[in-house]
Structures are given as C-alpha cells and as structure tokens.
Amino acid sequence: YLISVASLMLVLSTIALQAKKTMKDQVLEWMRSSFYGGGSLCGGFLIAGTLLHTVSLLSSSYVEEEHQTWYFLSTTIHILHLMSVILTMNTNQHPCNASFNSSTSNHFLRSCPKSDVESDQGSHSDKIRQEVLNTAVLLLAARLMRSWNQTGNKWLHLPDIVDWLILADNRILLSVLVAVSLLLILVLQSRRLTWVQTILSATGLFCVFWSRASTGALFLPFVPQMDRGILPARLSFLCVFLVLVSQFLPGQTSRPSVGHMDICLSAWTVLHVLLMRPHNTVLVAFMTVQQSVLCGCKLVLSPSAAAVFYVWMGRAAFFSQGNSNSIATVDVGAGYVGQEDYNAFPVAFLLGLATYAGPIYWFMAFLAKLNTLNPSHRDLHQVYFTVAVTCLLSMVVYAAFVVTERYHLFVWTVFLPKLLYLGMDLVIYYLLSVILVLKYYLWCE
C-alpha cells in the first residue's frame, strides 16, 4: 500500500509541474511534441510498446518471461527506424526531384542540373546503405546478447553461450575473449577522452583483468591466485575516481564535442566491467559498440522519444546479463568486489549497481546523447516528464494489481519479487533523473 500511495503521489506531483491545462490537452500535447516530432512510425511504436508492456505485467507468465518482451521491443524499434529512413529518403528528395504538376515540370527539369540530381540520388543511396549497416550491427549485437545468458523460467534449462565458455577447458579462450572485449572498450572510449583519461581507463581495465586472473577465473601469465583480487579491484576503483576528477582539472578538458556525461559514461564503463562476472564483460563490449553506433545515427529525433528508447535498451540489457524477476538470479558476489569482509552499506551499494548496471549504462548514454540533440529547457522538461511517466506507469498499475491479487497462488513466487524489482528500478531512475535535473537546469544557462 505504501508503494502504491508513493507512486501515485509521484505521478500527481509530476503532472502538477506541467502547465495549467486540462489533463487531456496536456497529455495529447506531450505525445505530439515528444514523440511524433521525431517520426510517427517510431514514435507511435514507443508509445504502444510502453502501454503493451504495462498490460503484460498483469499476467504471471509474462512476468516470468518479461525478457522476451524487452528483446522484442528493443529490436523491433531498429527495424522500424530503418523503414522510416528508407521511406523518408524516398519522399524527401532533392528539390529537383520533388513532386510538381505537369504545367511546371519542364521548367523545373530545365532549371535543375543533371549532376545535382545524380549526386543527390547517390547521397541518398549512401545514407540508406549506412543506415542498413548500422541497423545490422545493432541487431547482431542484440542477438548475441540475447543468447549469452538464458533467463526467465520456461527456457532456463536450455544451454547458452556462457554455459560453454565457463567450462574449465575453455578458460584460455574466455581469457582471450575478455581481453579483446576490454581492448575494444578502450579503443571506443579513447575517442572521447584525453590522453591522461585514456591512460587511467586503460589502467583500470587492466586491473579488472588482473583481479579476475587473481581469483582464477581468467588466465594471466605470472599472476598467482592471491587475496581474491582485492588489491587490483581497489586500484580499478581508484582509476574510476581519477577519471571522474580529471575532467575538472585545468588542461584536461575534453574536446568541445564531448561533454561531462561522456567522461562519466567512460568511468562508469570501467566500473561496469569490474562488477560483472568475467563472461559478462563481453556484454559490456557489445553495449559499447551499440552506443557508439547510436551516437552516429539519428535513430530518434526528439529528446523525449530518445529517453524512452534508451530506457528500453536498458531494460533489455538488464535481462541479457542474466537477471530475471526472481530473487535467485541476483549476483550476490558482485557486492563483495574489493571487499575483505561483510560491510552492509558497501555491499548493498555495489550489489545494487551491479544488478542495475545495464539500465544505468544506457541512461547515462542517453544523457551523453542529449549533448548532440541540443535540447531546450522545454525539451528537458518533457524528457523528465517522459521518464517519470514511463517508470511510474508500470509501477502504479502493477502495484494496484498485486494488491488486488494478494491471495493469488503465485503472489510470493512471482508477483512480489517483481514488485521489489520495480521499486528498486523506480529508485534508480529517480536518482538518474536527479542528475538530469542538476545538469540541465542548474549548470546550463
């Protein structure tokens, strides 16, 4: 009941922050300006997908297999984007190729040089090929991430890629795969870092590998198994802190096109791989590749639509790392990274970060993406409202449903664990939204 009341109060307070209009007019204006400005096909699917996911939580089977919903939504939006690009490029052509009536056709044909028409057609073809390539990379990475860890309930017994990688005979192969993944992450990160920040990130990533090798999970020559990898893990924590601090030092400012959130995202990536199990390091590399591709393409044009899309990517990443709506899949060992003994606050803090590492990564990637969208204060207001509605809608509906079905057979095994996950999810996105407010309402002019 407390969760239901708190969520409802958050919804009402968020709506109260909007302009003094009727509820119907406010919601319709928000939907038009936030989603349909970036293309009706993708925008409409973002709204429909969010509503359909909320409705799906009213079924115990869909709760147990929720990862299938997010895999479907996060991949389908890529296909719809590609369709939107092709349709747009076929209709919004060069002025020389625009539609016109027959009475003026000869005039336009005479006034438009043939070279301009051919060059414009060539540029359209190049853009379509580039978008097809970007979509193929995104879908390939998503497909591999989906097969990496089996989760849920119905298909949990099926073998996955990780089951084969963690075999003792494949230890060297896993070590090589993790090393290549860390190197790929470093290469992609170095494009937005200074040389000092690049060195710190490289040191932190090496300490991650060193820590895993010290525990015996990976192979590194001349490194004995010692101290559960506590020393290299703490060195990696130190490197993350130094990367965050270095952006405020004189002479260490990044390029103008790179904002503070890009540096924070790079620091978080080092912490992300440190908290993951060794085999899940490859997932972070896939996510880094996807984020780099998305930085260079206009998947969604409006900031609010981009917010929902990145939330979807975060939800898919949450399940791809092996999590589910069951408490049994929580990786308790992540809370003891760099810890000698049990200490309640550090263990709980690291455990929360590790469990929601995927959503945190993609929301920080969204904050970095905002630098390229040049949002106005009105856009940022809509972004906050969109994130609040996206997270609170499912929370309010599901909490009310659980209260109604409190005597159901699966209330303790299915419904209540999901409610705990939704509650923590609400806390995580609330804290990330505070960063959004602080960055764009207090620091920006």
Side-chain angles (χ1 to χ4, degrees):
Y1 283 106
L2 290 177
I3 293 177
S4 301
V5 173
S7 301
L8 183 59
M9 293 301 296
L10 283 174
V11 171
L12 295 177
S13 62
T14 302
I15 296 174
L17 292 175
Q18 299 296 303
K20 295 181 179 179
K21 298 180 180 180
T22 63
M23 181 66 179
K24 178 182 178 181
D25 294 338
Q26 187 63 39
V27 171
L28 291 177
E29 180 183 353
W30 165 69
M31 292 173 63
R32 284 195 300 266
S33 59
S34 299
F35 292 93
Y36 288 95
S40 59
L41 192 60
C42 292
F45 183 73
L46 289 171
I47 297 175
T50 302
L51 295 177
L52 288 175
H53 166 257
T54 302
V55 174
S56 71
L57 295 179
L58 305 182
S59 167
S60 61
S61 297
Y62 275 96
V63 171
E64 292 176 340
E65 306 297 325
E66 187 184 0
H67 60 284
Q68 303 285 3
T69 302
W70 289 118
Y71 291 158
F72 170 76
L73 293 177
S74 60
T75 54
T76 304
I77 191 67
H78 299 315
I79 301 296
L80 292 180
H81 163 67
L82 181 61
M83 294 172 57
S84 298
V85 170
I86 295 176
L87 292 175
T88 302
M89 290 183 178
N90 287 336
T91 55
N92 300 336
Q93 297 181 356
H94 193 274
C96 297
N97 295 330
S99 61
F100 44 82
N101 54 48
S102 59
S103 61
T104 58
S105 59
N106 294 332
H107 169 73
F108 275 98
L109 289 175
R110 286 193 300 268
S111 61
C112 294
K114 182 178 180 180
S115 59
D116 291 348
V117 176
E118 294 177 350
S119 62
D120 185 69
Q121 291 175 346
S123 63
H124 286 331
S125 301
D126 294 339
K127 290 179 181 179
I128 292 178
R129 281 194 293 267
Q130 184 63 40
E131 291 297 333
V132 171
L133 179 60
N134 291 338
T135 305
V137 172
L138 292 172
L139 293 177
L140 178 61
R143 187 65 185 87
L144 292 174
M145 293 172 65
R146 177 176 181 170
S147 303
W148 206 255
N149 291 289
Q150 285 289 352
T151 185
N153 186 27
K154 187 175 183 180
W155 311 110
L156 186 60
H157 65 283
L158 295 180
D160 50 39
I161 299 177
V162 169
D163 291 334
W164 180 75
L165 280 177
I166 61 177
L167 296 176
D169 296 339
N170 298 327
R171 182 186 171 205
I172 295 180
L173 176 61
L174 177 62
S175 302
V176 173
L177 195 59
V178 171
V180 172
S181 300
L182 294 176
L183 182 61
L184 178 61
I185 292 172
L186 180 62
V187 171
L188 294 176
Q189 282 186 348
S190 62
R191 297 182 297 178
R192 55 177 178 260
L193 301 177
T194 63
W195 65 273
V196 173
Q197 294 166 348
T198 302
I199 293 176
L200 290 173
S201 296
T203 304
L205 293 175
F206 173 77
C207 290
V208 171
F209 194 93
W210 178 16
S211 175
R212 300 306 183 188
S214 298
T215 61
L218 300 177
F219 174 76
L220 186 64
F222 311 110
V223 174
Q225 297 185 18
M226 61 172 186
D227 198 24
R228 295 175 296 171
I230 293 178
L231 175 60
R234 291 181 174 178
L235 290 176
S236 185
F237 281 126
L238 179 61
C239 290
V240 171
F241 175 75
L242 292 178
V243 170
L244 292 175
V245 173
S246 64
Q247 59 183 317
F248 301 105
L249 298 178
Q252 291 300 320
T253 55
S254 57
R255 294 183 291 274
S257 59
V258 179
H260 291 288
M261 288 310 304
D262 294 277
I263 311 301
C264 294
L265 179 61
S266 300
W268 169 255
T269 305
V270 178
L271 181 60
H272 192 170
V273 296
L274 177 63
L275 298 178
M276 291 292 98
R277 294 182 180 181
H279 52 263
N280 281 343
T281 303
V282 184
L283 295 179
V284 184
F286 288 149
M287 292 163 58
T288 306
V289 171
Q290 288 181 318
Q291 191 266 339
S292 299
V293 172
L294 290 172
C295 283
C297 66
K298 296 180 179 180
L299 182 63
V300 282
L301 299 180
S302 67
S304 296
V308 177
F309 168 75
Y310 277 88
V311 168
W312 283 14
M313 295 294 290
R315 299 279 170 76
F318 172 82
F319 290 104
S320 66
Q321 69 184 48
N323 293 318
S324 69
N325 289 326
S326 172
I327 305 297
T329 56
V330 175
D331 182 16
V332 181
Y336 293 89
V337 174
Q339 305 291 318
E340 294 181 351
D341 298 309
Y342 173 74
N343 195 336
F345 179 76
V347 170
F349 181 71
L350 292 177
L351 185 59
L353 292 181
T355 304
Y356 289 88
I360 294 174
Y361 177 91
W362 281 109
F363 196 87
M364 296 184 68
F366 163 68
L367 295 179
K369 179 70 173 179
L370 277 180
N371 293 330
T372 63
L373 298 178
N374 298 320
S376 62
H377 283 287
R378 183 174 180 273
D379 294 331
L380 297 173
H381 196 138
Q382 292 178 343
V383 167
Y384 175 79
F385 183 67
T386 301
V387 174
V389 170
T390 302
C391 298
L392 290 174
L393 178 63
S394 58
M395 183 67 191
V396 172
V397 173
Y398 189 76
F401 173 73
V402 171
V403 172
T404 304
E405 299 291 333
R406 59 188 178 276
Y407 301 114
H408 194 280
L409 179 64
F410 296 150
V411 67
W412 294 108
T413 57
V414 177
F415 295 137
L416 261 298
K418 175 58 181 176
L419 187 62
L420 293 176
Y421 276 109
L422 277 178
M424 189 61 188
D425 182 82
L426 195 63
V427 172
I428 293 294
Y429 277 106
Y430 171 76
L431 295 176
L432 292 173
S433 298
V434 169
I435 299 176
L436 171 67
V437 173
L438 291 177
K439 179 173 176 58
Y440 291 101
Y441 279 86
L442 298 182
W443 297 352
C444 296
E445 297 180 358

